Amino acid sequence: MRQYNKLENISGWGLRGLVLGAILFALTACSPSRSFESLGLLSALAGGDLPESFARQSVSFEGQAGLREADLYGPLGVEPEAAMMILPGASPQGRDDPRIVAFAAQWAESGFLVLVPEIDNLRRLQVSASDSQAMADSLRYLAQRISPEKPLGAFGLSYAVGPLMIALLQPDLAERVDFVVTLGGYYSSQAVSTYVTTGAYRAPGQERWRRRVPDGFGAWIFAYSNASRLEDPRDSWRLRRIAEVKLEDRSADIAPLKADMGPEGQSVLVFLENRDPDAVPQLEAQLPERIRSEMKALDLTSYDLTGPGPRLFLIHGKEDQVIPYTESIALADAINRDPSHERAELYLLDSFRHTDLGRTTVGDILTFSGVLYEILTIRDEG
């Protein structure tokens, strides 16, 4: 198994920031031991070495969505003090991503029973609302592996956040799950598609668009994810191939593939190549029905997220080029709309880019570590 140096993804001021952040955080926090644990967890998410004392095994279990496979991590020689499900975003490595492995192992060393389920769609770079049931099944399986009085939570990254939020609407999970951490999540499907195609975004209640140059990753992931939803198999193949080419090289010439596209494929390409944010609703309405149906099912604006449920920690980087940070603002607002159940806490990071630690600042390290510290406090307080 490949191992990564703990700080290899952090360079320049980010490296010095992590060292300084560790000192400051340890000095100012109530529990120095939890402080250093939280910094170790953050280092693992950056691609750290595996800890020495943890167990990992492959498990399978039946749920409403059928047979599921997962990796289960736990502490060695002691009973776990809490449990957590970790959900990677859309990634071909899935639960085998070295960062996810290191992160899960580090939580296990911190006394957590950790489940990383296999979500086939996410590994295939697809996003589907149907994955919410697989996530719900995984949480129920994990809950059965620990005592009812021990805390249970989830950590969701990127596009996995939508199906996770839908899963948590099931009454038994809303009551049983104690905490949820999201990193780079979203609220509105249309807002995300507007951002990845045009670079335009805005905070809730604002009329004026803000702009950022889109990097193309999100747009071509959209194409790849939705290619199988086209009725014409030729258009489906061409769209997937175009997405593969563009994900490999954003400047690649796709004119030969575009030339033979039918109406379905052309509607998707017109949607992706549009740069006018005000035109997005009309172009979205012209997409194939199966794509529109899935977008609607994944759109959290269609769900009532208010009421009792787990405590939520929403983390988002202002430099995110895949999902705008304003989406976590909107998600927090929607969850906290009922003043009697304000469960969401929002944490914005100045230099964080989606789910990649990259170059970071002391402030970001302290903020992110502070969230992890809170989860460790939930563990300790039971």
Side-chain angles (χ1 to χ4, degrees):
M1 180 181 297
R2 182 183 176 189
Q3 294 188 6
Y4 287 65
N5 181 282
K6 287 189 176 183
L7 303 179
E8 72 174 3
N9 290 332
I10 307 172
S11 58
W13 280 104
L15 174 57
R16 292 191 287 274
L18 183 54
V19 175
L20 179 58
I23 296 171
L24 290 174
F25 197 61
L27 289 174
T28 58
C30 296
S31 170
S33 62
R34 281 203 295 264
S35 301
F36 282 105
E37 271 190 281
S38 66
L39 287 161
L41 289 162
L42 187 56
S43 178
L45 187 58
D49 293 331
L50 294 175
E52 295 181 0
S53 57
F54 76 96
R56 178 188 181 187
Q57 61 176 314
S58 296
V59 297
S60 59
F61 52 91
E62 287 282 353
Q64 294 182 35
L67 182 66
R68 302 243 57 83
E69 295 183 350
D71 287 333
L72 187 67
Y73 299 74
L76 283 176
V78 295
E79 286 293 318
E81 302 171 62
M84 178 191 296
M85 176 177 71
I86 297 179
L87 295 169
S91 166
Q93 293 178 298
R95 59 182 165 140
D96 300 316
D97 186 322
R99 290 194 310 157
I100 295 298
V101 172
F103 194 50
Q106 196 69 46
W107 281 108
E109 189 177 61
S110 290
F112 282 75
L113 186 65
V114 180
L115 186 75
V116 186
E118 182 66 47
I119 306 294
D120 295 332
N121 280 329
L122 292 176
R123 191 184 279 269
R124 292 194 294 260
L125 302 183
Q126 295 180 326
V127 185
S128 174
S130 64
D131 291 330
S132 62
Q133 189 56 59
M135 295 175 186
D137 291 344
S138 299
L139 277 169
R140 291 190 181 100
Y141 170 80
L142 188 56
Q144 294 170 1
R145 299 292 299 252
I146 60 168
S147 302
E149 70 275 5
K150 293 186 176 180
L152 173 67
F155 196 115
L157 283 77
S158 187
Y159 290 111
V161 171
L164 173 60
M165 296 301 299
I166 296 169
L168 292 169
L169 294 176
Q170 299 190 29
D172 64 317
L173 294 178
E175 182 178 344
R176 176 64 183 92
V177 177
D178 300 288
F179 65 89
V180 173
V181 182
T182 69
L183 178 58
Y186 75 92
Y187 179 55
S188 164
S189 296
Q190 188 172 99
V192 174
S193 61
T194 299
Y195 185 64
V196 300
T197 56
T198 72
Y201 66 102
R202 55 191 175 190
Q206 292 186 343
E207 295 294 328
R208 183 177 63 85
W209 292 106
R210 305 182 196 179
R211 293 280 188 167
R212 181 187 297 276
V213 178
D215 70 353
F217 177 80
W220 298 116
I221 283 292
F222 177 93
Y224 190 92
S225 176
N226 285 288
S228 63
R229 297 184 177 114
L230 302 186
E231 297 292 341
D232 186 337
R234 294 169 300 179
D235 271 10
S236 178
W237 181 87
R238 291 188 185 97
L239 184 60
R240 182 178 292 106
R241 183 62 189 142
I242 286 172
E244 290 171 345
V245 168
K246 282 293 192 178
L247 287 169
E248 182 70 24
D249 178 7
R250 303 287 193 276
S251 64
D253 180 17
I254 58 172
L257 287 166
K258 288 174 59 177
D260 294 327
M261 275 283 195
E264 277 194 319
Q266 289 289 353
S267 71
V268 176
L269 291 178
V270 168
F271 177 74
L272 295 178
E273 293 172 350
N274 167 60
R275 295 297 178 263
D276 178 6
D278 295 316
V280 170
Q282 179 182 356
L283 294 176
E284 184 179 299
Q286 296 170 5
L287 290 172
E289 192 278 332
R290 289 177 64 191
I291 294 180
R292 287 186 283 110
S293 177
E294 190 62 64
M295 291 177 69
K296 182 178 180 181
L298 283 165
D299 189 355
L300 297 180
T301 68
S302 303
Y303 300 87
D304 181 7
L305 304 179
T306 61
R311 184 180 175 188
L312 292 118
F313 302 84
L314 311 183
I315 308 172
H316 214 124
K318 292 182 179 179
E319 296 297 316
D320 194 325
Q321 293 182 304
V322 179
I323 300 174
Y325 72 91
T326 47
E327 282 302 283
S328 282
I329 296 176
L331 181 57
D333 286 350
I335 294 167
N336 292 339
R337 197 165 291 150
D338 178 357
S340 62
H341 296 287
E342 293 186 355
R343 302 181 286 114
E345 303 170 29
L346 178 66
Y347 300 87
L348 298 180
L349 309 178
D350 290 327
S351 61
F352 207 80
R353 288 178 176 266
H354 200 50
T355 60
D356 185 9
L357 198 58
R359 294 180 65 89
T360 190
T361 65
V362 173
D364 287 351
I365 291 169
L366 293 176
T367 299
F368 206 143
S369 297
V371 174
L372 302 178
Y373 182 96
E374 287 296 318
I375 304 305
L376 294 170
T377 301
I378 291 172
R379 173 203 65 185
D380 293 342
E381 295 180 349

